[in-house]
Amino acid sequence: MTKRNESIIEKIKGLLALANDHQNDEECQTAFMMAQKLMIKYDISSSEIVEKENDRAISEGQATAHKTLYWWERQLANIITQNFRVTWYYNNKIIKGETKKKRAIMFMGFDSDVSLAKEMYVLAYDVLSFYVQKFVNDYYDSTQTHRTKRMTTELKNSYTRGFLNGLKEKFEEQVKAMEQEYGLMVLLPTEVKQEYDKRFGNKKGLSYKIPPVEEIEAYQMGFKDGNKVDYTKSTLDKETTLF
């Protein structure tokens, strides 16, 4: 991995640490957009130099532990792959002492793209986990409603669906803006698609259920939280001088 790649990865790790701090909601949300823009900006910069052959090697990276995956973890993986230059698949494993298979989410792509996608996934995972729990606690505190398992599940599912859709829309807006400015398409490299099709092309994907939106206000708040950051190019230029 080049020094340039390492610098970007370290920057995104810093954004992850910022998001986990949770002291500033705006900065926490901003980390999403910053990471995505760094990925796009890096790709533009790297296209100006001759890449070494090993930099184009296809690699794989594990984004979750082997576990029973929630529906939103899979949806989040879809959002990452739609806006970064990777694809994803399940890695199955039987944990010692258990009979059922556990699955982990794996990203496939060029080495630097996989590293960025993994960092972005963990960042989004941690921030979403924090926000949904905060929303549920605030809801019960403000409404003085009796806390039940069913109500909590409905709130979490509805809020999470909104958050993911808001995040997806914001990512798409950012990618479109960067495409218009730089003429860059964020597409899955042909070599990666060919390798994926070679390994998984004939296999049927696993289906999963996405829960319905049962609490519309929770959904709307989730969408707002996932979509609320307006990150400007001037801020990006200022931040990218740090590495």
Side-chain angles (χ1 to χ4, degrees):
M1 186 178 294
T2 66
K3 290 184 177 179
R4 176 66 173 170
N5 290 3
E6 292 173 355
S7 296
I8 293 172
I9 295 301
E10 288 304 311
K11 177 62 178 177
I12 293 181
K13 287 182 178 179
L15 292 171
L16 176 59
L18 174 64
N20 284 334
D21 186 43
H22 303 315
Q23 296 301 309
N24 186 311
D25 285 352
E26 184 173 355
E27 287 184 358
C28 180
Q29 285 285 328
T30 292
F32 284 123
M33 299 308 111
M34 187 68 211
Q36 188 193 34
K37 286 194 173 185
L38 285 178
M39 183 277 292
I40 297 175
K41 195 174 184 72
Y42 158 76
D43 189 68
I44 294 169
S45 298
S46 67
S47 66
E48 299 172 0
I49 62 175
V50 178
E51 293 181 301
K52 295 180 180 179
E53 192 64 30
N54 60 357
D55 290 333
R56 303 290 289 181
I58 296 174
S59 67
E60 300 160 63
Q62 185 173 326
T64 70
H66 284 87
K67 58 193 285 292
T68 300
L69 295 169
Y70 293 108
W71 66 270
W72 60 267
E73 294 174 290
R74 308 180 201 205
Q75 283 294 95
L76 180 57
N78 287 333
I79 293 173
I80 296 298
T81 58
Q82 289 164 4
N83 292 280
F84 293 82
R85 305 187 336 142
V86 297
T87 187
W88 74 277
Y89 66 92
Y90 297 107
N91 178 266
N92 301 322
K93 182 178 181 180
I94 297 180
I95 307 298
K96 186 176 181 180
E98 299 188 20
T99 56
K100 291 185 178 181
K101 289 182 179 179
K102 301 297 181 182
R103 297 182 175 88
I105 288 174
M106 304 286 294
F107 288 117
M108 176 190 290
F110 293 143
D111 183 65
S112 58
D113 293 329
V114 168
S115 296
L116 290 168
K118 284 174 56 183
E119 294 293 342
M120 193 63 228
Y121 183 92
V122 173
L123 171 63
Y125 186 106
D126 287 349
V127 175
L128 172 55
S129 297
F130 168 78
Y131 266 77
V132 70
Q133 190 59 54
K134 182 177 183 300
F135 170 79
V136 171
N137 290 337
D138 289 347
Y139 174 87
Y140 281 122
D141 288 343
S142 62
T143 62
Q144 296 297 305
T145 303
H146 177 64
R147 197 181 277 256
T148 65
K149 183 176 181 180
R150 178 177 178 179
M151 175 60 74
T152 298
T153 298
E154 292 178 356
L155 288 171
K156 284 185 174 181
N157 286 339
S158 297
Y159 179 91
T160 299
R161 282 197 60 177
F163 190 100
L164 290 175
N165 284 340
L167 176 61
K168 179 181 178 181
E169 181 177 285
K170 176 56 72 173
F171 270 153
E172 291 172 349
E173 290 173 355
Q174 299 288 0
V175 168
K176 184 177 181 179
M178 295 294 279
E179 287 176 355
Q180 291 176 343
E181 182 172 0
Y182 294 107
L184 174 71
M185 297 293 288
V186 182
L187 301 174
L188 182 68
T190 301
E191 300 96 318
V192 177
K193 185 178 186 305
Q194 290 175 341
E195 179 63 21
Y196 180 87
D197 290 343
K198 179 181 177 181
R199 292 179 55 182
F200 305 109
N202 295 325
K203 295 183 178 180
K204 186 177 180 180
L206 297 174
S207 61
Y208 60 95
K209 293 183 179 180
I210 299 177
V213 174
E214 297 182 276
E215 297 291 334
I216 188 62
E217 291 185 6
Y219 174 90
Q220 292 172 338
M221 182 59 70
F223 186 93
K224 179 181 178 181
D225 286 342
N227 187 258
K228 69 182 181 182
V229 175
D230 180 18
Y231 211 80
T232 64
K233 182 178 181 299
S234 61
T235 307
L236 171 65
D237 292 338
K238 178 181 178 181
E239 290 294 329
T240 52
T241 62
L242 297 179
F243 59 86

